[in-house]
Amino acid sequence: MCGIVGYVGDRPALDVVVDGLARLEYRGYDSAGVAVLAGGTIDSAKRAGKLANLRAALEERPLAEGTVGIGHTRWATHGAPTDVNAHPHLDCTGSVAVIHNGIIENFATLRRDLEERGHELLSETDTEAVAHLLEEEMPEAGGLAEAMRRVCRKLEGAFTLLAVDTADPGAVVAARRNSPLVVGRGDGENFLASDVAAFIAHTRDAVELGQDQVVELRRDSFTVTDFFGHPAAYNEYHVDWDASAAEKGGYDYFMLKEIAEQPQAVADTLLGRAGLDGTLALDEMRLSDEDLRDIDKIVIVACGTASHAGMIAKYAIEHWSRLPCEMELASEFRYRDPILDRQTLVIAISQSGETMDTLMAVRHAKEQGARLLSICNVNGSSIPRECDAVLYTHAGPEVAVASTKAFLTQLVAVYLVALYLAQVRGIKYTDEITAVISQLAAMPEKVEKVLDIVEPVREVARSLASEKCVLFLGRHVGFPVALEGALKLKELAYMHAEGFAAGELKHGPIALIEDGVPVVVVVPSPRGRSVLHNKIVSNIQEIRARGARTIVIAEEGDEAVVQYADTLIRIPDVPTLLQPLVSTVPLQVFACELATAKGHDVDQPRNLAKSVTVE
Ligand code: F6R
């Protein structure tokens, strides 16, 4: 939520900052703003709406030229997305400008006190209070960094803050608590951002800041302290992808590019996991085999699409490792007093590694003494840093708000974890594990094949653009796939869409079926557990008898479904548990095409943001 950029160097700061914001716009696009230090003053501009509105305003009135600047794209929390509420916010004297990601929970008290002391606050935001608090602290603190530390000690909640001060025109000062912030180290220039994507075109050398730290960024240096001014430790790393990975590469939308990248992402996530003797080697996981043998229960915590990966993980983990496994929505987890102990392994699945609900679930589990493993796509993000172990997915940067390639790589990661648990617990022989690994190794090609034959999905999607509602049915691992198909359609096409376990239909949802209602059915392989297949074929007949228009996703060679399908979408034959890797892809394409047919921007759906850093 909210994209933040800061720059100190010798290039025009405005260009660097606006370019960085363009790469971060997926984090929030309600409004955008920039501030540049120039000639002893702050020149700023901000506009409600997408970055394009700010760009237009800057063309009309270019800012003064300066080489130090900050910029922000907003996902509104306090106050509507208006010009006034857009960041940056200034203090009473106009000498300090602040941008902010997160929520300052005690802002109402801080604001009331500031107003009582005579400050005039112009916006409805929590952020503006920080600018005025800095103004108050500055005379005694003797500098922006110390003032920032003093202010942070008064703040409750989650925040990344960036500030500039006319009295120190060579610096940007930033602080973080429970919200992402990275430093980019250049040659004679340095960067700050909520995500490396903002500066990847300039440098791949990054510094990951710790919790409750303040950084003072200058052209040739950066200084990191805690909130009390003590020097603080940080972690330097090299980003292993380049700027082209974060660009559209000829596609109309990032989402289309990311769907197309799935075969490679799956292959990259599998790379180097199998040892020479056929055993799985997840060395980077940092949980010893001893620790894993000790585990007697697994709880998965995740949100949205990642929670659907978690539901599929439950099937794989219980089937392969024989450990009981539950999947919990991270936003509910800590409020119901879950039973956790040292023998519980909590697995947090998160693409961004910054989702606040999941982070809070991780912290709760840690307090209860559980062991913690994260499956994450963003190196050095908060969730893996707070877990005992991490398995990184190698999807590369996912920019479109709707998750696609990250989901498929999360599936690969959970399959690997399930097999690894089976291996260390001695539940499966090496040759059995090797057999599944080779099935997984064949998946990139199978996903590629789905992409090659997906045209009928596009056609049917376009034909449904004026429908009000689409239902999705599945059984076994096809049930979470149905939920995922419905979620994609809701978020991109703004349509009513529901996913159901096909067996639940007759317990209520079948009442929704009437003439012409489109129902997408994910059919399990007839070669696997035939009972599953037979049951869903009956379900298709039941809805068809009541007038449903059936869009059936079924394996090549499955002839039993042909007569009941108004539209038949073929997927390659794969083992039952692995089917989500291929059956999800047509549903992604379906939602993307239908939303595009309705004229929506699929990369930036309304009301959403990529990384949800508020609870
Ligand atoms: C939907 C989507 C979201 C995310 C959810 C969790 O397409 O992308 O539902 O899956 O917000 O995000 P992460 O995985 O970053 O924790």
Side-chain angles (χ1 to χ4, degrees), residues 123-167:
S123 75
E124 301 157 277
T125 66
D126 47 350
T127 310
E128 196 181 0
V130 175
H132 293 267
L133 288 170
L134 286 169
E135 174 192 350
E136 285 191 343
E137 292 293 347
M138 210 70 85
E140 261 198 48
L144 185 60
E146 177 54 19
M148 181 66 93
R149 288 188 278 269
R150 291 175 182 217
V151 170
C152 286
R153 301 203 290 263
K154 296 180 181 169
L155 303 180
E156 288 165 22
F159 48 85
T160 299
L161 293 161
L162 258 67
V164 287
D165 169 20
T166 52

Side-chain angles (χ1 to χ4, degrees), residues 387-447:
C387 288
D388 301 311
V390 55
L391 194 68
Y392 280 113
T393 51
H394 295 287
E398 191 178 65
V399 176
V401 163
S403 190
T404 54
K405 60 176 179 169
F407 177 69
L408 256 61
T409 59
Q410 284 163 355
L411 293 181
V412 171
V414 298
Y415 293 138
L416 291 172
V417 170
L419 289 172
Y420 193 66
L421 286 166
Q423 178 177 288
V424 297
R425 289 164 54 79
I427 307 289
K428 283 208 173 296
Y429 293 112
T430 307
D431 57 339
E432 294 174 293
I433 292 179
T434 313
V436 186
I437 295 290
S438 27
Q439 288 163 350
L440 277 170
M443 293 312 289
E445 208 179 303
K446 306 261 184 187
V447 177

